[in-house]
Amino acid sequence: MDIEGRTGLERLASRSHPVCGPDCSSSAGYAAINSICDYYQSIQDRPVKSDVKPGYLLETLPDAAPTDGEPFEKIAADFQSLIMPGITHWQHPKFMAYFPAISTYESMLGELYSSSVSNPGFNWICSPACTELEQVMMDWMAKMLGLSDEYLTISGVGGGIILGSASESALTAAMAARERALHRLTRSLSPADAAQTSGSSTPIPIREQYTQKMVIYGSTQTHSLGAKAALLLGMQFRAVPVSRSDDYSLRGHALREVMERDVKEGLIPFFVIATVGTTSSGAVDNIAEIGKVLKAYPTAFLHVDAAWAGVAYALPDHRKALRLDDVNQFADSFCTNAHKWGLTGFDCSLFWIKDRGNLTEAFDVTPAFLRSKESDAGSVIDYRNWQIALGRRFRSIKLWFVLRSFGVTGFQQHLAEGIEHCQQLASIVNASANFEIVTPPSLALLVVRLRDPLAPNSPDEVLNRLNQALYARLDARHDVMLTQTVLKSVESEVHCLRIAMGGVNTTMKDVQEVWEVIESEGRQVLEEYRSQRELNV
């Protein structure tokens, strides 16, 4: 609102400039910034989880927009009274569910500046800074993470783009992989088999004959983005079994066995998702073994999804365990999210590919109204040809603000603190009689489960019931937030609890207090279980 608190209609009527009148400036903006600062100053005093009931906002808000504009002061007040009660506070120091989704002041201000110069960004000419800053940021990040020069935009061959999510990145890679596979199939067949069709480098008969036979591969621990990509493309997804003895990592021999069986059935392996830091346990797939298997399949494309863990490549001491050298050698594309552990607000998914031609072959459709002399000359990148959508947001500003404000050293310190919290918590859990660590600690992720020390040989089925009961108790609380998972392997299914640290506001004191809640609830579950068992004897 302006100084007089006028409505939107009144402000519009007073404007002397096509964008903003002379009095359109201060109070509403200052009030919003102050409100955000107050929120972060007191966030630790709020419940982590929203306790509203389904439909609370649907029943409260009017069923139509107001006829006349309202003062901005009232709108801002309603944000506090109506919206905030329905917010789950991901920036809360005791939020340890899913993975961190960090938003820093630098990122928020970058988002504000980005919104102030809003443009659809599909062509270089839309706003040259929008394209070129993104190129620079993707190369900054690639160098900080230790990615090979093939992934750099300045290489002129590969390059990076900022997308909305790791799921979008995987779908983008899958679509590029599909076109690459079809092109290779086309070249392997006699030109007489099919005539080229206008608008496509793949003949329609070949596309129709082979597309439905193409298969996407991941493991039973691969994020649902793999299955969703297959669903959207009308293809099959193979979840290759993993072993508990391999810490749930996808191995080459298991993948080869499944792919060989598919080929015998006339199917075509074309896209494999390897994961660095699986959602359930933080497992790292054996990328070198997978890459060597794929050498026998010229239609296959390897995408590495490191949505959460990939930013940890910024720490050189962790690159070996996270198989960075294998990513650089074998992967065709790679994704990590700056909007998870990387200090940048959602959305900011970083996607790199070694051959940008795979993207432009899949996505370049250029009607006359999208052409420009710079594009025709080949002197610029038009990111619309690297992605599914036409329009795109100016996301690189917030990443620029974050990297300049924190620097590489500050970025590394932030990551190291989350890892240190995890290591300290692992020591605490190891000293607990009632809990055990299920998989090796992975960066800032710890996976644990409740056990009964009076029955140390309890089968997984019994322990699963205990841990389901524990999660139900934790899920009913609003002072902490955690998530459960099921680790599926060839040996068993293990129900357990994930503790995802790394929040920018989280201290070791917060970690200890969350653990005290888990232990307390765990004792209650054990007491109830033992009482019930005695009654049944």
Side-chain angles (χ1 to χ4, degrees), residues 67-105:
T67 302
D68 298 317
E70 300 174 337
F72 199 86
E73 184 178 40
K74 182 179 185 302
I75 301 169
D78 283 348
F79 174 82
Q80 297 298 329
S81 64
L82 298 176
I83 304 303
M84 289 302 285
I87 295 295
T88 292
H89 303 286
W90 283 63
Q91 310 309 316
H92 196 288
K94 291 184 174 63
F95 179 96
M96 298 183 190
Y98 308 110
F99 286 114
I102 295 170
S103 186
T104 54
Y105 287 123

Side-chain angles (χ1 to χ4, degrees), residues 160-179:
I161 180 173
I162 303 177
L163 298 174
S165 68
S167 299
E168 183 184 354
S169 295
L171 179 60
T172 300
M175 295 177 77
R178 177 187 62 186
E179 295 310 301

Side-chain angles (χ1 to χ4, degrees), residues 432-435 449-455 458 462-463 465-467 469-470 473 518-534:
S432 170
N434 296 340
F435 284 86
R449 70 172 173 174
L450 181 65
R451 64 184 180 186
D452 184 357
L454 301 182
S458 298
V462 172
L463 295 180
R465 289 195 294 272
L466 287 177
N467 283 274
L470 171 60
R473 294 183 67 95
I518 296 171
E519 279 222 292
S520 175
E521 296 290 2
R523 285 192 294 269
Q524 291 295 319
V525 170
L526 287 176
E527 288 176 8
E528 293 174 3
Y529 166 70
R530 290 166 184 163
S531 297
Q532 187 63 41
R533 188 172 57 184
E534 290 174 2

Side-chain angles (χ1 to χ4, degrees), residues 257-285:
E257 180 180 336
V258 174
M259 293 178 77
E260 287 178 348
R261 185 165 61 245
D262 281 348
V263 170
K264 287 179 181 178
E265 294 178 0
L267 300 176
I268 303 169
F270 90 100
F271 190 63
V272 178
I273 301 173
T275 307
V276 173
T278 59
T279 300
S280 288
S281 68
V284 179
D285 289 340

Side-chain angles (χ1 to χ4, degrees), residues 206-250:
I206 291 180
R207 186 177 293 276
E208 292 177 342
Q209 180 179 357
Y210 292 105
T211 297
Q212 297 304 313
K213 297 179 180 180
M214 300 170 81
V215 183
I216 297 177
Y217 299 84
S219 82
T220 54
Q221 297 302 299
T222 299
H223 190 278
S224 58
L225 57 79
K228 179 173 282 190
L231 179 66
L232 291 172
L233 295 176
M235 297 175 177
Q236 300 179 65
F237 177 76
R238 291 279 189 272
V240 181
V242 295
S243 174
R244 195 169 173 175
S245 62
D246 292 325
D247 293 326
Y248 302 93
S249 171
L250 176 60

